[in-house]
Amino acid sequence: MKRDVSAELEVAITAPTELEFQIAVAPHPNAKVSESLSFVLDGKPVQPLEISGTHGNRIHKLQVPGGVLKVDYAATVTGRTEPAPVTEYDQSMYLRPSRYAESDKFFGFAATEFGKYVDSETLLERVSSWVGTRLSYVPGSSDPIDGAADTLLAGTGVCRDYAHLVVALLRAVFVPARLVSVYAPGLYPMDFHAVAEAFVDGQWRVVDATLLAPRQSLVRIATGRDAADTAFLDNHKGGINLNWMTVTAVVDGDLPSDHIDELVSIC
């Protein structure tokens, strides 16, 4: 499989700030990755500091005094990578509640809804189906600081809201789960996409309750507890405005077919 992905952003900096971008694909062992990344501030190229984070997350960090920053990223991923490794630390960390996936608020509820399902594979399918039918996908319906409990009460959200609720419910029934930001060929409207990953049958399996893109063609960007770890742009101090952003993700040939009851890993 050959996948071409790209992201272009224009950010207006209104006061000196520190910017962190997570838009570059994570390392893909055994796959061939070619990429380009440029940052141009008021017409002049600037060089970011690349920080390697957990799970291969790549943070590109800049100190910017002001002006207009244009960011251009493109990558071609040919072939498939190895399934994400699983550590004992992962299995502990991703059972714990986090900022946007407050699984401790869901223990009683999740036990009532899903307690009769004992194996992780069935839990994965049931939780994904439940969230997909319970929520309505409505762009702009949620706030960036909404967590899984807010999403459940509202009944609407976007991809990160779906993923947070899936993660919180799975952790509440003792299945380790985490959030992954991805490029998603076939997604409409096209954007950065968020999905969940759960530890099932010895591997990390991807869950996308939105059903908006086939899981087999996803390209991993960043992995973490929730959106606090995987945001495509963070700023510390100062002030910024995102003027515009364009994301693309396509495959060479037809998109793969996907079925909710299949176990799929991001590769």
Side-chain angles (χ1 to χ4, degrees), residues 33-263:
V33 180
S34 59
E35 63 178 356
S36 62
L37 175 62
S38 68
F39 293 84
V40 178
L41 180 65
D42 292 337
K44 297 180 180 180
V46 291
Q47 188 65 36
L49 171 67
E50 180 168 327
I51 303 169
S52 295
T54 307
H55 309 303
N57 295 6
R58 298 165 63 197
I59 301 170
H60 290 93
K61 180 177 179 179
L62 302 104
Q63 301 283 346
V64 186
V68 176
L69 181 70
K70 293 185 178 181
V71 185
D72 192 350
Y73 177 75
T76 298
V77 181
T78 305
R80 292 195 172 276
T81 188
E82 301 169 356
V86 182
T87 68
E88 291 293 335
Y89 178 80
D90 292 340
Q91 294 180 61
S92 173
M93 174 59 67
Y94 296 121
L95 277 175
R96 302 177 186 180
S98 60
R99 169 66 179 85
Y100 298 114
E102 326 94 293
S103 52
D104 49 341
K105 295 181 179 179
F106 288 87
F107 286 132
F109 177 81
T112 300
E113 289 289 336
F114 307 109
K116 58 182 175 290
Y117 307 113
V118 294
D119 67 285
S120 296
E121 184 175 345
T122 302
L123 280 169
L124 200 68
E125 179 187 347
R126 296 293 181 174
V127 169
S128 178
S129 178
W130 189 91
V131 172
T133 55
R134 184 67 175 261
L135 300 184
S136 298
Y137 191 92
V138 181
S141 61
S142 60
D143 191 282
I145 62 171
D146 284 351
D150 299 307
T151 298
L152 179 61
L153 292 173
T156 60
V158 293
C159 61
R160 59 164 265 164
D161 304 306
Y162 279 67
H164 283 152
L165 185 53
V166 167
V167 167
L169 289 171
L170 286 172
R171 290 177 186 170
V173 290
F174 312 110
V175 177
R178 62 192 190 179
L179 191 104
V180 186
S181 64
V182 295
Y183 289 103
L187 181 69
Y188 181 82
M190 181 55 67
D191 203 340
F192 292 112
H193 195 42
V195 297
E197 266 188 328
F199 179 67
V200 174
D201 195 25
Q203 291 187 30
W204 288 111
R205 307 294 188 175
V206 61
V207 187
D208 185 3
T210 71
L211 302 179
L212 291 177
R215 293 170 294 164
Q216 293 86 347
S217 57
L218 301 178
V219 178
R220 185 186 305 270
I221 303 172
T223 308
R225 296 165 298 175
D226 53 38
D229 294 336
T230 63
F232 71 87
L233 172 60
D234 276 309
N235 75 296
H236 309 291
K237 302 179 296 185
I240 65 171
N241 292 307
L242 181 61
N243 289 345
W244 55 264
M245 178 178 73
T246 302
V247 178
T248 63
V250 297
V251 297
D252 186 16
D254 296 331
L255 287 167
S257 58
D258 195 2
H259 302 281
I260 193 172
D261 57 348
E262 294 180 357
L263 290 179

